[in-house]
Amino acid sequence: MLVFMFFGCTNSSIEIADNHIDVLAIIDKKIITVNDFIKRAEYNVRPIYCSGNSYNDKKIILNSLIAEKIFALNTNLELKNSHIDLIEGRKEQKMREIYFNRDIYNATKVDSTEISNVYHNSKKKFHISYLTLPKKDQLLKIHNLIIDSSATLDSISKYYFNLEEVPKRKLSFIDDFSDEMYLNFFSNDIKVGDIFGPMKIGNNYTIFRVDDWTQTKNLSSTNLKNEIASLTKTIKQTKSNIKYRKYINRIMKEKELEINPDTYEELVENIYNSSINDSEKNNIKIKNLFINKELKRNNFDEKNIFTLDGESWTVDDLNNLIKKNPIELNSDWDMNLLKKELKKIIIQKLEIFFVTKEAYKNKIDSHFLVKQEESIWKDYIKSNHLISRMAKTAQSNLHGKDLVSHVLNPYFDSLSYEYSDKIEINEYKLSDIKLSKIDMHVFYKNQSHDLVVPLFPHTTSSLKQNYLNYN
């Protein structure tokens, strides 16, 4: 059912075509939802003056978010290309997230047998023997040989691979392993002697045998109901990830990618010399291939880097994709490894490109949460620009808490009075919110943009709230 909610302001009204939007505050035509408030407060470290869970803490947090909005409304900043790329990248990442949740996650079912198996297996530490090879078909032959004959993993390892002993390890639920391994192993009713695989782990494939297991303590002290709920969510997310991978494989299956070897070699050399060589950082994030202007010499940006389904992509086309979806490299890579890994990265970014196209086709760009994502990041950038400008023009060298107290608080008080008839808050919802006192930074895993939300806005420490109230 589609629900329309209207929140009247003195000069305008806001219409939200979504039945899951819990609005906490309205500033002119900008919105702060309860979820926005919680994420901005919980997913990054808050300043000491609002780090608790008292009502005063929550008033300062809300004022900080309101200040960010009205600061953004009062700056004439013309966004740089890098800002536009960031906002567009954030928008499209949110589109893909919503598309995933709507078409895959929400359609994924978890049955009671899976839950029971995962719950019992999560209490065990498995002792396994394994064999790892680079090619899947080799391990399939070994797996079938073990199943169909008297051959064992031990005998095959000894006679075919000259191993005196099969490699062994321990495996438990808290270890880091692939989605495929999770579902094919932990969701089964496991018996000693069972053979699993081949499964892709890293760049290789593995088959393994369960030799034994020992019982472990409960994962947590929470009650059984909460633990089962958490496991169910994990199972659903994992199954959804596998379905998503299959969906991407279907999209990419018929596509033909032909990389131009000469341009690719030149690109690898340019990236290595400008970003990796002599870098002091372990992980290097690249948001623009042409930060070094020298890379545009001889019209390098106009050269064909690859052909995809008969369509030529220039280095500049690839760069436009990277500017919205930054790539991460490792400073330990030599030229040869970079050459190998960069191809994988390009394919990953092309997968993102085609999934985003599907999201646009499904009009996900008009979803409220996508519009909200754009608004939040744009306001964050504009507000920070204004604060930076005010800090530079302050009479003394103020920063941090002093800048907030002596410069930003008076400015916020003035603007909040000016906008007082355009700001509405729901005090009941604000008082009902429960916040943790634990400092956290929360990140996305395996996404182009890792921060879930912008950093907490150090815009005001004011408690004053002379706003309109709605219930």
Side-chain angles (χ1 to χ4, degrees):
M1 182 176 66
L2 190 66
V3 177
F4 288 87
M5 294 179 286
F6 296 88
F7 297 96
C9 299
T10 53
N11 296 321
S12 62
S13 64
I14 292 179
E15 180 180 299
I16 305 171
D18 197 296
N19 60 336
H20 300 297
I21 307 305
D22 204 359
V23 175
L24 178 63
I26 300 168
I27 305 94
D28 200 5
K29 293 185 179 181
K30 296 179 180 292
I31 293 172
I32 298 170
T33 68
V34 170
N35 196 38
D36 294 336
F37 178 96
I38 292 171
K39 284 184 175 181
R40 295 296 296 275
E42 295 274 63
Y43 288 10
N44 285 302
V45 177
R46 304 195 296 273
I48 191 68
Y49 53 76
C50 59
S51 59
N53 184 47
S54 71
Y55 190 62
N56 280 347
D57 287 314
K58 288 182 277 189
K59 284 172 70 175
I60 295 174
I61 294 167
L62 182 57
N63 275 350
S64 298
L65 297 175
I66 290 171
E68 184 177 74
K69 299 293 186 190
I70 57 178
F71 285 8
L73 287 167
N74 282 271
T75 179
N76 57 359
L77 170 67
E78 186 174 337
L79 294 173
K80 299 177 183 176
N81 288 336
S82 58
H83 293 148
I84 294 169
D85 291 331
L86 171 63
I87 293 166
E88 191 73 5
R90 285 281 175 179
K91 165 194 165 183
E92 293 181 353
Q93 183 166 292
K94 179 60 70 173
M95 288 171 60
R96 294 189 294 272
E97 178 188 326
I98 292 167
Y99 190 39
F100 168 84
N101 286 335
R102 190 193 73 177
D103 287 21
I104 296 177
Y105 184 82
N106 292 341
T108 300
K109 307 298 180 186
V110 180
D111 63 44
S112 58
T113 302
E114 287 177 286
I115 297 169
S116 176
N117 285 338
V118 173
Y119 176 76
H120 287 102
N121 288 332
S122 72
K123 308 300 178 191
K124 299 172 182 175
K125 179 174 286 187
F126 292 94
H127 303 253
I128 64 171
S129 299
Y130 66 93
L131 190 61
T132 298
L133 293 172
K135 293 186 179 180
K136 184 177 182 178
D137 57 347
Q138 295 173 309
L139 282 174
L140 272 173
K141 291 178 183 178
I142 293 172
H143 181 274
N144 293 336
L145 188 62
I146 294 172
I147 298 300
D148 298 336
S149 71
S150 59
T152 65
L153 195 60
D154 305 80
S155 62
I156 290 172
S157 298
K158 183 175 181 179
Y159 291 110
Y160 287 92
F161 300 101
N162 296 318
L163 295 175
E164 290 298 322
E165 188 177 13
V166 186
K168 300 181 184 297
R169 62 165 289 190
K170 294 179 181 179
L171 179 68
S172 66
F173 188 74
I174 61 174
D175 292 335
D176 188 20
F177 39 77
S178 68
D179 292 337
E180 183 186 11
M181 189 172 184
Y182 174 87
L183 277 185
N184 286 300
F185 187 72
F186 282 99
S187 64
N188 280 293
D189 181 15
I190 298 172
K191 299 178 179 63
V192 171
D194 282 349
I195 301 286
F196 291 90
M199 296 184 198
K200 195 171 192 314
I201 301 176
N203 294 321
N204 297 307
Y205 290 87
T206 299
I207 57 171
F208 58 93
R209 179 187 66 205
V210 178
D211 296 329
D212 198 3
W213 65 71
T214 53
Q215 292 291 131
T216 62
K217 297 179 180 178
N218 285 356
L219 290 174
S220 66
S221 58
T222 55
N223 61 45
L224 179 62
K225 184 178 179 180
N226 287 343
E227 194 170 344
I228 293 294
S230 177
L231 283 172
T232 303
K233 187 176 179 180
T234 301
I235 297 167
K236 184 170 182 176
Q237 182 66 49
T238 306
K239 292 180 72 174
S240 299
N241 290 345
I242 291 174
K243 286 172 69 175
Y244 186 58
R245 184 69 254 168
K246 290 179 179 177
Y247 164 73
I248 290 174
N249 289 342
R250 285 199 303 272
I251 290 177
M252 302 299 292
K253 185 178 180 181
E254 303 301 324
K255 302 193 179 300
E256 293 185 11
L257 177 67
E258 185 178 347
I259 292 178
N260 184 322
D262 294 334
T263 310
Y264 185 73
E265 289 279 356
E266 192 174 352
L267 177 63
V268 169
E269 185 178 341
N270 286 338
I271 291 175
Y272 183 81
N273 290 332
S274 64
S275 300
I276 293 183
N277 196 24
D278 298 327
S279 173
E280 295 180 359
K281 298 178 181 177
N282 290 328
N283 295 315
I284 305 155
K285 182 160 279 192
I286 296 179
K287 303 177 183 178
N288 190 336
L289 294 174
F290 302 125
I291 290 294
N292 182 349
K293 304 298 182 185
E294 289 296 312
L295 298 186
K296 284 200 171 187
R297 68 187 186 278
N298 301 323
N299 297 322
F300 178 63
D301 57 319
E302 298 177 8
K303 290 184 178 181
N304 167 269
I305 182 66
F306 57 78
T307 300
L308 181 62
D309 282 349
E311 182 180 345
S312 175
W313 280 59
T314 65
V315 177
D316 195 48
D317 292 330
L318 175 62
N319 191 45
N320 288 334
L321 183 57
I322 288 172
K323 285 192 289 187
K324 292 192 292 183
N325 301 279
I327 62 177
E328 193 165 293
L329 311 176
N330 193 308
S331 61
D332 290 335
W333 293 350
D334 59 20
M335 191 89 76
N336 289 330
L337 188 53
L338 173 62
K339 184 178 177 180
K340 180 180 177 181
E341 294 298 325
L342 186 60
K343 284 183 182 178
K344 296 178 188 175
I345 292 170
I346 289 174
I347 291 170
Q348 289 169 357
K349 297 308 174 185
L350 288 174
E351 290 172 350
I352 286 173
F353 172 78
F354 285 110
V355 172
T356 305
K357 281 185 71 172
E358 291 299 311
Y360 274 114
K361 283 182 187 177
N362 283 269
K363 303 187 185 309
I364 305 293
D365 54 319
S366 62
H367 195 287
F368 169 78
L369 292 179
V370 174
K371 299 293 185 184
Q372 188 72 348
E373 184 82 354
E374 284 185 273
S375 176
I376 288 170
W377 281 96
K378 191 177 293 184
D379 291 343
Y380 171 73
I381 291 168
K382 287 187 170 184
S383 173
N384 275 352
H385 170 77
L386 181 65
I387 292 170
S388 177
R389 198 175 68 198
M390 293 178 71
K392 288 177 182 177
T393 57
Q395 291 182 351
S396 56
N397 185 23
L398 298 174
H399 59 274
K401 187 177 179 181
D402 290 335
L403 179 67
V404 171
S405 299
H406 298 294
V407 177
L408 299 182
N409 277 349
Y411 184 63
F412 169 68
D413 290 342
S414 172
L415 282 180
S416 61
Y417 177 78
E418 180 183 334
Y419 280 83
S420 60
D421 62 344
K422 298 178 182 178
I423 301 174
E424 294 183 76
I425 68 170
N426 189 317
E427 293 178 348
Y428 297 108
K429 288 181 180 177
L430 181 63
S431 63
D432 285 344
I433 293 172
K434 299 291 187 290
L435 295 175
S436 166
K437 294 181 181 180
I438 301 171
D439 289 340
M440 287 187 294
H441 280 296
V442 181
F443 301 92
Y444 286 121
K445 187 178 180 181
N446 301 324
Q447 295 286 344
S448 296
H449 301 276
D450 49 8
L451 269 181
V452 176
V453 290
L455 298 176
F456 187 85
H458 292 237
T459 47
T460 185
S461 57
S462 174
L463 280 164
K464 297 176 184 177
Q465 287 190 332
N466 298 314
Y467 313 134
L468 300 173
N469 187 47
Y470 70 87
N471 298 325

